[in-house]
Amino acid sequence: MQLDLLFQIAGVGILTTVISSVLSRSGREELATLTTVAGLALVLLMVVNLLSELFTSVRTIFQLY
């Protein structure tokens, strides 16, 4: 597994948590929730891209078309 991707996901999680916490404490709960959802969507896009690469590799290895 790519270690860089793991660090990117952890970085997005930490950054999302910090921004959400700051926004919640300043009284902007709606923006904090939106920030959390945006962070989750970003991580899901990273995982979907990785799954796409996995399926392409499997298709190439087994010569499926």
Side-chain angles (χ1 to χ4, degrees), residues 1-62:
M1 185 174 167
Q2 298 172 353
L3 195 59
D4 293 341
L5 183 67
L6 186 63
F7 285 137
Q8 285 178 353
I9 290 173
V12 168
I14 291 170
L15 188 64
T16 301
T17 303
V18 168
I19 291 173
S20 177
S21 174
V22 168
L23 286 172
S24 290
R25 291 186 187 254
S26 68
R28 303 200 178 219
E29 287 81 18
E30 296 87 11
L31 286 177
T33 304
L34 185 63
T35 303
T36 304
V37 171
L40 180 65
L42 187 61
V43 169
L44 284 176
L45 285 174
M46 289 179 185
V47 170
V48 165
N49 188 19
L50 190 62
L51 283 174
S52 172
E53 290 177 13
L54 173 68
F55 288 142
T56 303
S57 296
V58 168
R59 188 178 304 150
T60 303
I61 289 171
F62 293 111

